[in-house]
Amino acid sequence: INAETWGGISTAKMAPKHTRYLDFPCFALNWGEHGRVMISGGGGGAQYGIVNCLSVFQVNNLESSTTLTAVLKENTQDNIVTNITYSRERRLYACSLGGNCRLFFLNKEGEAKELVQFQTDFAAEPYQKAVRFSSSGDLLATAGEDGTLRLWQLSAEHVEGQDCSAPIAPPKLLHSCTGHTKAVNDIDFSPDGSLVCTSSFDLSCLIFAVASGLCIKKLTFAVANGPNLIFRGCRFSKDGQYLFTVQTPPRGSAYITQWAVGTDFAALKTVVAHLKPISAFTISEDSKYLGVGTNDGAVKIFCANSLACLNERKPHEMPVTNVSFGMEKRPVALLSGSADYTYHFLPIAKGVSLITLLVLLLLIALVVVMTLKLHFKMDVGF
C-alpha cells in the first residue's frame, strides 16, 4: 500500500488556498455526522488505471487548515457511485450505483456493510441520478434517467447494525410518481415528510404529495428573452416554510429562487447566483446557508434568508460535482469536490488573511503616530 495515496488522499501534491488532491476524480461526496466524509469517484475501472472506489475519511482541524484522513477505501469495480445521502435516524447511507440503489452502514471498525442493493431506474440505460431519505428515516426517494420518482418504505431491517449474513429484502415500493418528461437530477423531502420535490432537465420542478404519490404543483421559471433554464437542484428549509431551487442554462447566468411553501408556491426572491451554469446545490442542516458549485470550478455560500452571497472562491479547475455542509451543530464550512481530483473546504464567513491583518495594523499605527505628531506640534505652537 502506498502511504501517500492510501484511501484516496494524495499527500504528494498540494494546491493553493487549502485545496487538497485525491488520487481519483470526485463524482459524489457527503459530509455526515462526527466529521465523517464519504467520497466516491474513479475513471472507468482498473483497466484504465484509475480504480472506481468509495472512500471514507475523517475531517481534521475543522476550525483552521482542514484536511481529511483516510479511514476506508472500497473498490466498486466497473461502477462509479454518483450520489450519496445519509440518514441520521437510521444511521444508514444510500448511494447511486448505475440504475441501482445501495443501502449500507459503517461499523465501528470503519468497514462498509451492505444491507441490500435494488434496482430503482428502468430506462433503456438505467441511471439513478438522485436519492434522498426523509427526515424521519422511514422513507427513501429515488429518481433518475427514466424521469419517474419512486417512494420506498423502509422496514425495521433497514437500520445500522443489522445482521448482514442473511439476505435482506429491498424496501417496499409505495408509489411510482410520474410527471417529468426527462431525467430527474435532484430530490428532497419536506421536514414533515408530507411533500417531496423533484428537479428535472425538462425545465420543471414538481411537488408531490407523499400520501397519494400525485403531483400537486408544477414550478417553472423563465427570464424574458433568455435561454431555457433547467431546474438543477431543490431543497426545503428545515422549518418547512420555504423551498429553494436552482435554475441554470447550458451557458450563461444561473439563478437561486426562494418559494413560499403552500397552495400556490409563490416565488418570493430570485437572485443571479453566478454568471456561469451551476452544477451542484445543497442546504445546511440548520437551513441558514445555501451551498453552490459551478461549471467553472467556483464554490459559493449564500444566506438562505436574504440570498446574499457570504463567501466565494474558485478552488477547482473543472466543474464542481458535489457540495455538502457538515452535520455539525454549527456549520462552519462547505465541502466541495471536482473531477479534477480536488476537494476544498470553503469557510462560511470570509476570513482575513495574515498579510491583510498586518497591513491594517500598520495603517492604524501610522494614523496614531501622525495624530500624535500633529497634536504635539499644535501644543508647541500654542
Side-chain angles (χ1 to χ4, degrees), residues 18 32 59 80 107 111 118 128 180 215 246 314 330 336-337:
H18 307 298
V59 178
I80 295 179
N107 63 17
E111 299 173 316
F118 54 102
Q128 177 184 286
H180 286 297
C215 178
V246 162
K314 191 176 181 298
R330 180 176 63 87
S336 60

Side-chain angles (χ1 to χ4, degrees), residues 107-187:
N107 63 17
K108 294 180 180 179
E109 290 73 35
E111 299 173 316
K113 295 293 185 180
E114 181 175 294
L115 292 178
V116 65
Q117 187 173 156
F118 54 102
Q119 187 170 357
T120 63
D121 191 82
F122 298 88
E125 296 183 6
Y127 183 13
Q128 177 184 286
K129 292 179 176 288
V131 58
R132 193 83 171 164
F133 287 102
S134 63
S135 58
S136 66
D138 294 330
L139 300 174
L140 182 73
T142 63
E145 192 65 34
D146 66 5
T148 299
L149 166 69
R150 292 177 173 86
L151 300 177
W152 308 82
Q153 178 73 57
L154 277 68
S155 70
E157 290 183 309
H158 306 119
V159 65
E160 181 191 27
Q162 177 68 33
D163 181 10
C164 302
S165 59
I168 295 175
K172 178 184 177 182
L173 179 62
L174 296 179
H175 301 294
S176 293
C177 311
T178 59
H180 286 297
T181 58
K182 291 186 178 180
V184 173
N185 53 56
D186 201 12
I187 307 170

Side-chain angles (χ1 to χ4, degrees), residues 22-28 39-46 48-55 73-82 321 338-341:
L22 301 161
D23 64 353
F24 54 84
C26 172
F27 287 101
I39 303 179
S40 68
Y48 297 98
I50 305 175
V51 175
N52 297 327
C53 63
L54 184 65
S55 298
K73 182 176 182 180
E74 178 189 359
N75 189 330
T76 58
Q77 305 303 326
D78 294 332
N79 295 308
I80 295 179
V81 172
T82 54
T321 51
S338 172
D340 66 0
Y341 291 71

Side-chain angles (χ1 to χ4, degrees), residues 29-49:
L29 58 83
N30 180 273
W31 187 354
E33 289 184 289
H34 312 302
R36 183 174 284 171
V37 173
M38 188 166 291
I39 303 179
S40 68
Q47 66 268 33
Y48 297 98

